[in-house]
Amino acid sequence: MKKSQMGILSKESIEGGVLMDSDLKQTNEPLVADLQENIHKMKQRMGNSTDVIVREIKLGMMDVKACLIFIDGLIDSNAVNDFVLESLMIKNDYLSSEKLKSEGNVLQYLKDYILTTTAVKHDVDDFNGMFHSLLSGSVILLMDGHLSGFSISLSGWKERAITEPTSETVIRGPKEGFTENLRANTAMIRRKIKSPDLWLETIQIGSLTQTDVAILYIYGIANEKVVKEVLTRLKRIDIDGILESNYIEELIQDEAKTPFPTVFNSERPDVIAASLLEGKVAILVDGTPYVLVVPALFASFIHSAEDYYHRADIGSLIRLLRYLGIFIALFAPSIYVAVTTFHIEMIPRTLLGSLTAQREGVPFPAFIEAMIMEITFEILREAGIRMPRNIGQAMSIVGSIVLGTAAVEAGLISPAMVIVVSITAVANFVIPSNDMAISIRLMRFPFIFLGASFGLYGISLGFITMVLHLSSLRSFGVPYLSPFAPFDFQGQKDGLLRAPIRSMIFRPKLIARHNLMRQRVRRPK
């Protein structure tokens, strides 16, 4: 299927429309000394794509042929003209034949004395390296009679500006969020942690996309075993493309048979910087504003960055309200169904009379009522997200009010059930992490079924089973319910409540195994 010594797809395989695995795994062929042959092979391998620009030139006052190769739209054309073409084609004494003949390495001479840019990268001596640099936004310089060239990083594609995060809004705190550019994201983190111990390692994942994936951690604080495990799992990935960080999340997570997320993600640089200072490892993926953090704990999905930007008492109160909201979002419909179905004696007589009057003429039991309303609210929520932003939010609110009122007036749903489901839907938005909010929404339905089948006993049994399941989870070797289970006294200072910053002296010991002390309190004299 392959042409000999060229590593390109055969004409028969392309015309037949069938590509075998052997066609996709191209051979890594070295460059040759003939410039025209290199250009010919490059054009064939890229299918004579019209966005591949080949600019053939002659160096200054010499009769030496060279060429610049780049992808239109991926590079800054003005920078190419100002810093590369002008430097190479100007007729000056530095590019005279005598000067170049006296140099043993012409390419090194061009890099050291001619090119007026600091973006000159590594040498290119094979086609795979050339294609990777070319498709990453670099300009390739090749010369006739040379077996290698070099790449010049002059990327200039359109990028989204740094804006406020849309999924993690705060009243007080930084208003900047990650973008789709990997280097801009690493720069925002380095602005917050100005330490040489902040180490960065970049690898490429995806046989076709060659997506840059960066691992960021603080040397001396992060656990070396966790860092090695992250690298091992990333290098084990063998896939054709990585388009978003969720690809990485699913391929490296510890436990897939759980509705709860075991890899944390955020689009806020301050959240990632705080995680790094605790000894965690960040994984940045080029092309997405969401950065992954491991190990991930259950409490990480409940805490918000704003908890640390208020006083300790205010932050603790907000955190308690958040845990209360989680309880309501998870158990409110199931408890209502269980009480009205099996435990009527628990309801005060006045309230029982009101509920009985409301349910007169309702043809469905409480379980069916709850399922109808929950599914309706989920549909409205999803429709509000998918609809245009100008009308999505208004449509979801109006739809909820209209449908709820119409269902009550038609006698299909009792008013009390509408109130319970509405409070549940509102409480679900209290959860800062969207991944954990979705997990709570999923777990709500089994609890409604248990409440309708076995009453409060079924809900209690389901809650015990859920806690046992959470206790069995691990995120890169760290217990998921830490610092609650196993119990860590120092960790309680940033668990259910938030202690004052001056009292949080130590880092979480199950995450940062070294350099546990994060501050030294100096007593006033």
Side-chain angles (χ1 to χ4, degrees):
M1 295 290 291
K2 295 179 183 178
K3 289 187 177 182
S4 60
Q5 299 179 352
M6 292 189 65
I8 59 175
L9 298 179
S10 64
K11 181 178 179 181
E12 292 79 11
S13 65
I14 296 176
E15 292 178 350
V18 179
L19 301 181
M20 307 300 292
D21 290 341
S22 58
D23 294 323
L24 295 177
K25 296 179 181 178
Q26 304 298 329
T27 58
N28 186 14
E29 186 181 359
L31 297 175
V32 297
D34 189 349
L35 178 62
Q36 294 301 323
E37 185 176 351
N38 287 332
I39 295 175
H40 176 69
K41 290 181 179 181
M42 182 276 301
K43 288 184 176 180
Q44 269 195 311
R45 179 66 182 87
M46 300 197 70
N48 291 314
S49 300
T50 54
D51 61 342
V52 180
I53 308 300
V54 179
R55 178 71 163 86
E56 298 188 41
I57 60 175
K58 288 186 178 181
L59 297 181
M61 302 174 64
M62 293 186 61
D63 192 20
V64 176
K65 294 182 180 180
C67 76
L68 297 175
I69 307 174
F70 55 89
I71 305 294
D72 189 18
L74 293 185
I75 56 94
D76 186 353
S77 58
N78 293 327
V80 174
N81 294 331
D82 297 339
F83 303 123
V84 180
L85 280 175
E86 185 175 347
S87 301
L88 293 175
M89 299 180 67
I90 189 171
K91 298 182 181 300
N92 58 22
D93 185 56
Y94 289 100
L95 278 175
S96 64
S97 58
E98 292 77 10
K99 282 278 186 181
L100 290 181
K101 286 179 181 178
S102 62
E103 293 293 327
N105 190 336
V106 178
L107 291 175
Q108 189 65 38
Y109 179 78
L110 293 178
K111 288 191 287 186
D112 293 343
Y113 298 101
I114 303 302
L115 292 175
T116 59
T117 176
T118 60
V120 178
K121 299 296 183 180
H122 55 79
D123 294 339
V124 175
D125 54 8
D126 56 64
F127 280 93
N128 279 1
M130 182 179 71
F131 288 133
H132 177 72
S133 299
L134 187 65
L135 297 170
S136 297
S138 296
V139 179
I140 306 299
L141 174 63
L142 300 179
M143 290 183 60
D144 194 21
H146 290 75
L147 296 174
S148 65
F150 55 84
S151 65
I152 309 169
S153 180
L154 295 174
S155 58
W157 54 76
K158 299 297 181 181
E159 299 176 0
R160 182 171 63 92
I162 297 176
T163 57
E164 183 178 358
T166 57
S167 62
E168 299 175 79
T169 57
V170 296
I171 297 177
R172 179 176 179 178
K175 304 298 183 182
E176 60 180 3
F178 289 121
T179 67
E180 287 74 17
N181 186 286
L182 175 64
R183 195 53 62 219
N185 294 341
T186 58
M188 280 189 279
I189 297 176
R190 286 200 179 274
R191 281 178 53 201
K192 297 186 178 296
I193 305 178
K194 302 178 180 68
S195 171
D197 293 328
L198 182 61
W199 288 9
L200 174 68
E201 183 172 348
T202 305
I203 61 176
Q204 284 75 40
I205 301 179
S207 58
L208 296 181
T209 60
Q210 289 289 303
T211 305
D212 289 329
V213 178
I215 301 94
L216 201 61
Y217 61 95
I218 300 179
Y219 177 75
I221 297 180
N223 191 344
E224 296 88 349
K225 294 183 179 179
V226 174
V227 175
K228 291 180 181 179
E229 182 64 22
V230 171
L231 288 171
T232 300
R233 296 188 188 185
L234 289 176
K235 292 178 181 179
R236 195 186 302 155
I237 297 176
D238 186 7
I239 192 173
D240 57 356
I242 299 293
L243 301 179
E244 213 275 334
S245 58
N246 183 67
Y247 287 64
I248 301 293
E249 179 178 345
E250 289 193 26
L251 293 171
I252 68 172
Q253 63 185 351
D254 286 66
E255 183 62 54
K257 297 179 181 179
T258 177
F260 296 96
T262 55
V263 177
F264 182 74
N265 69 79
S266 176
E267 58 175 336
R268 295 185 60 88
D270 55 332
V271 173
I272 301 303
S275 300
L276 292 173
L277 291 173
E278 288 186 347
K280 298 179 181 180
V281 180
I283 304 172
L284 296 84
V285 181
D286 191 26
T288 175
Y290 290 92
V291 176
L292 306 179
V293 176
V294 293
L297 309 179
F298 179 82
S300 302
F301 298 93
I302 311 302
H303 298 172
S304 172
E306 201 169 15
D307 296 347
Y308 307 92
Y309 302 149
H310 292 291
R311 296 199 320 264
D313 52 350
I314 298 176
S316 299
L317 175 62
I318 295 175
R319 191 171 289 183
L320 286 175
L321 289 175
R322 202 173 294 133
Y323 278 100
L324 177 61
I326 294 174
F327 179 84
I328 295 174
L330 185 59
F331 294 111
S334 58
I335 292 177
Y336 176 82
V337 171
V339 170
T340 56
T341 305
F342 294 99
H343 310 283
I344 300 178
E345 67 279 358
M346 297 178 61
I347 306 176
R349 184 171 300 178
T350 306
L351 179 59
L352 179 61
S354 176
L355 293 176
T356 303
Q358 293 177 17
R359 289 191 53 79
E360 288 184 1
V362 177
F364 305 112
F367 171 70
I368 301 299
E369 276 189 277
M371 295 300 293
I372 291 176
M373 289 302 298
E374 286 290 344
I375 293 175
T376 302
F377 267 85
E378 292 298 329
I379 293 174
L380 288 173
R381 190 202 312 264
E382 192 67 18
I385 296 175
R386 307 303 168 198
M387 293 183 70
R389 292 186 178 181
N390 296 333
I391 61 174
Q393 185 176 4
M395 185 65 184
S396 60
I397 296 174
V398 172
S400 302
I401 296 175
V402 171
L403 288 178
T405 304
V408 171
E409 292 179 354
L412 299 177
I413 304 295
S414 63
M417 181 60 72
V418 175
I419 295 174
V420 171
V421 174
S422 300
I423 293 176
T424 303
V426 173
N428 203 89
F429 289 106
V430 174
I431 306 174
S433 171
N434 184 58
D435 291 343
M436 183 58 69
I438 295 175
S439 299
I440 297 298
R441 286 160 56 187
L442 290 175
M443 293 300 299
R444 190 185 305 151
F445 291 96
F447 277 104
I448 294 176
F449 175 79
L450 290 173
S453 302
F454 308 103
L456 294 178
Y457 301 103
I459 296 175
S460 302
L461 181 61
F463 177 71
I464 294 173
T465 304
M466 184 184 71
V467 172
L468 291 175
H469 172 68
L470 291 173
S471 300
S472 66
L473 295 180
R474 296 289 186 274
S475 179
F476 285 80
V478 178
Y480 193 59
L481 287 184
S482 173
F484 307 112
F487 184 81
D488 178 17
F489 177 76
Q490 289 292 336
Q492 300 306 313
K493 296 180 179 180
D494 193 22
L496 189 63
L497 302 175
R498 185 183 82 76
I501 293 179
R502 63 175 175 272
S503 65
M504 292 192 291
I505 301 174
F506 299 99
R507 296 184 177 88
K509 65 179 182 180
L510 292 178
I511 298 176
R513 300 298 178 91
H514 310 288
N515 192 8
L516 294 178
M517 183 172 291
R518 75 169 101 201
Q519 67 171 318
R520 290 173 175 82
V521 180
R522 296 182 178 181
R523 303 295 181 184
K525 295 181 180 180

